[in-house]
Amino acid sequence: MEKSCEEIRAEAEGLLAFLKKSPTCYHAVAAAEELLPGFTRLEEGEKWQLVPGGRYYVTRNRSSLIAFILPTGRLEAWQLTASHSDSPTFKVKENAEVTVRGKYVQLDTERYGGLILGSWVDRPLSVAGRVMVRDGAGLHSRLVCVDRDLCVIPNVAIHMNRQINEGYKYQPHIDLYPLWGGGDAAGSFRRVIAEAAGVAEDAICGTDLFLYSRTPGAVWGPQGEFLSAGRLDDLECVYAALRAIAASESAEHHANVACVFDNEEVGSTTKQGANSTFLEDVLRRISLGCGLDAEEHLAALAGSFMLSADNAHAMHPNHPEFSDPNNCAFMNEGVVVKYNANQKYTTDAVSRAVFGEICAAAGVPVQHYANRSDMAGGGTLGNISGTHVSINTVDIGLAQLAMHSCYETAGTRDLGWMIDAMRAFHARPVRRLRDGEYSL
Ligand code: ZN
């Protein structure tokens, strides 16, 4: 069903509010919890008491999250979405301050993921993440976000670098340290972080701190066609998946699951990434909680289906030649299905057919994307997760520009279509009859 301009705008504003609350993966998971009212928090280190029709979520490292809704009847399959909580940024090193000639204090940072380096220069930045805090009762995680303009990575003036417009190569160890303060700011970094965390400086005993861009997200274009913000890849899909599962009811025989994984941008090989046992462990515990035996668990896995949702490249207006002319995506034209012959994306005839049916019934337009035949694209969650929990999966996303810039651009109409597609997926049993055959 066609949405009104007001509905589209409201959905975009909802996403921008989520992005504002989510300067890092830890904040994204905390903001995700807010989008799951009525879901009970489980701890991995405790025994779970699951009830039919129950709504639950569990976090790992407080940077990955799996939410699920149990069926009212016998568990026969899972219908899952997967997206990622992390985005390319700079991580602040343990010894954070560097002084220059006694006149400047910079922050010592290193790259996290594949950033577009130049997008971080000459704009207000700040610091957010989590700190470990010691108190009388032990060690505790605490979110921290310094909510003010705090540092800038300054370009070199063109008079000192006449070649900058000829294709300048930024050296992270030289060009990209943010300026934090004057010489008298030495020793202030930990104090500012402690103040923002609301603890004494010497109570902080561990940090995972990152830079984030202070530039606010915006809806723009003559008809509000576009929205720009940091971290659209992949918090746009995270937001859609959480909105969809929160609005979903219990099914009769399948559990609905929304997975949000950390560390996709650095290969997923962490204890909480898609290449970990997190999903495998959670699904096994759901099976145990629902009374399935080992064989029934494997049969349920075989009957399951996943939407791996990570944003896709829209054709660039200045460089249409970078896209395959025949399999390219545009903003505001629907959910993108991604294909790759070498299986960087999981989509195959089976999963494309199943997803196509769901979208057609839900009135969601679909576009089809493959890289130019001489370009290697990035990988994503589906094929990595599939090495642990092998489930028929379709790789999808929303078309966007400037992926991995700290200010990315997407289409405002597409977000609602992704939510609709995921809701329709959760509502409708994808019943596997036998290998390669479904009843829908
Ligand atoms: Zn991504």
Side-chain angles (χ1 to χ4, degrees):
M1 198 175 63
E2 199 62 33
K3 290 190 169 61
S4 69
C5 287
E6 290 71 32
E7 286 172 307
I8 291 168
R9 179 104 196 178
E11 204 70 80
E13 296 290 349
L15 170 62
L16 293 182
F18 175 69
L19 292 168
K20 188 170 186 334
K21 286 182 187 171
S22 308
T24 71
C25 55
Y26 308 106
H27 293 81
V29 164
E33 294 179 58
E34 289 178 29
L35 290 175
L36 297 169
F39 284 66
T40 302
R41 184 188 178 109
L42 300 170
E43 279 292 332
E44 281 200 283
E46 295 171 0
K47 195 160 171 56
W48 295 357
Q49 305 292 342
L50 305 178
V51 299
R55 302 161 85 86
Y56 304 94
Y57 72 94
V58 57
T59 65
R60 187 178 280 188
N61 193 46
R62 300 196 184 190
S63 61
S64 292
L65 175 146
I66 297 177
F68 56 94
I69 303 175
L70 295 181
T72 51
R74 181 164 180 74
L75 173 64
E76 293 177 357
W78 290 275
Q79 295 189 195
L80 312 97
T81 63
S83 52
H84 67 87
S85 60
D86 63 323
S87 306
T89 177
F90 290 90
K91 185 164 197 222
V92 182
K93 291 183 185 171
E94 180 74 13
N95 294 320
E97 295 184 10
V98 178
T99 55
V100 180
R101 308 268 172 120
K103 299 293 186 186
Y104 296 115
V105 176
Q106 299 171 307
L107 296 184
D108 195 352
T109 59
E110 59 184 321
R111 287 170 293 174
Y112 175 89
L115 318 88
I116 297 181
L117 296 172
S119 71
W120 287 80
V121 173
D122 294 340
R123 62 170 65 220
L125 306 172
S126 192
V127 177
R130 64 130 175 238
V131 293
M132 289 302 291
V133 176
R134 185 192 313 104
D135 68 15
L139 303 174
H140 305 280
S141 290
R142 192 157 305 184
L143 286 177
V144 58
C145 176
V146 185
D147 190 15
R148 59 190 162 95
D149 300 341
L150 200 57
C151 51
V152 166
I153 303 171
N155 249 317
V156 171
I158 196 163
H159 314 84
M160 297 171 179
N161 181 9
R162 295 277 182 195
Q163 304 306 309
I164 191 157
N165 293 329
E166 313 303 319
Y168 183 68
K169 186 168 191 257
Y170 286 103
Q171 306 282 350
H173 197 68
I174 299 169
D175 294 308
L176 296 174
Y177 280 176
L179 175 60
W180 167 264
D184 59 356
S188 62
F189 179 74
R190 282 182 82 86
R191 189 176 73 239
V192 168
I193 297 303
E195 277 171 14
V199 300
E201 202 176 324
D202 61 4
I204 293 180
C205 47
T207 63
D208 288 307
L209 297 170
F210 299 88
L211 300 186
Y212 76 95
S213 168
R214 296 280 298 165
T215 308
V219 175
W220 56 277
Q223 298 177 70
E225 297 93 327
F226 303 113
L227 66 94
S228 294
R231 305 178 296 284
L232 287 176
D233 169 20
D234 187 31
L235 293 186
E236 188 175 20
C237 289
V238 170
Y239 180 75
L242 294 166
R243 289 286 313 279
I245 197 164
S248 294
E249 304 295 331
S250 296
E252 199 178 347
H253 291 299
H254 69 264
N256 285 316
V257 184
C259 312
V260 179
F261 292 116
D262 190 9
N263 301 127
E264 193 276 341
E265 300 295 358
V266 292
S268 298
T269 52
T270 58
K271 65 187 181 300
Q272 62 275 1
N275 198 3
S276 74
T277 62
F278 188 30
L279 177 58
E280 194 178 356
D281 294 346
V282 169
L283 296 186
R284 193 174 296 277
R285 294 180 74 162
I286 294 174
S287 280
L288 290 169
C290 292
L292 270 59
D293 66 26
E295 186 175 16
E296 288 165 337
H297 172 72
L298 294 174
L301 281 180
S304 297
F305 196 88
M306 177 185 275
L307 311 183
S308 165
D310 196 359
N311 270 0
H313 301 299
M315 178 182 277
H316 197 285
N318 297 343
H319 287 285
E321 74 280 10
F322 289 166
S323 296
D324 182 278
N326 216 25
N327 291 275
C328 53
F330 297 91
M331 294 174 287
N332 294 315
E333 294 199 5
V335 174
V336 180
V337 180
K338 303 192 268 186
Y339 303 80
N340 178 256
N342 296 301
Q343 295 299 295
K344 291 267 181 78
Y345 303 132
T346 53
T347 311
D348 57 15
V350 174
S351 59
R352 180 254 182 266
V354 168
F355 187 65
E357 290 286 308
I358 291 164
C359 288
V364 172
V366 168
Q367 346 179 37
H368 302 282
Y369 176 89
N371 290 309
R372 260 182 69 123
S373 303
D374 53 2
M375 277 189 187
T380 179
L381 300 158
N383 57 348
I384 294 170
S385 177
T387 60
H388 292 267
V389 181
S390 305
I391 291 174
N392 269 349
T393 302
V394 61
D395 263 294
I396 60 174
L398 294 176
Q400 68 156 91
L401 297 171
M403 191 175 284
H404 294 192
S405 167
C406 71
Y407 204 63
E408 302 172 324
T409 292
T412 45
R413 291 179 73 191
D414 293 326
L415 174 61
W417 280 323
M418 180 63 95
I419 296 171
D420 289 351
M422 289 175 160
R423 283 187 67 173
F425 167 63
H426 286 316
R428 187 170 178 186
V430 178
R431 191 165 290 129
R432 191 172 107 140
L433 301 172
R434 56 188 73 79
D435 193 10
E437 291 181 30
Y438 285 83
S439 102
L440 270 165

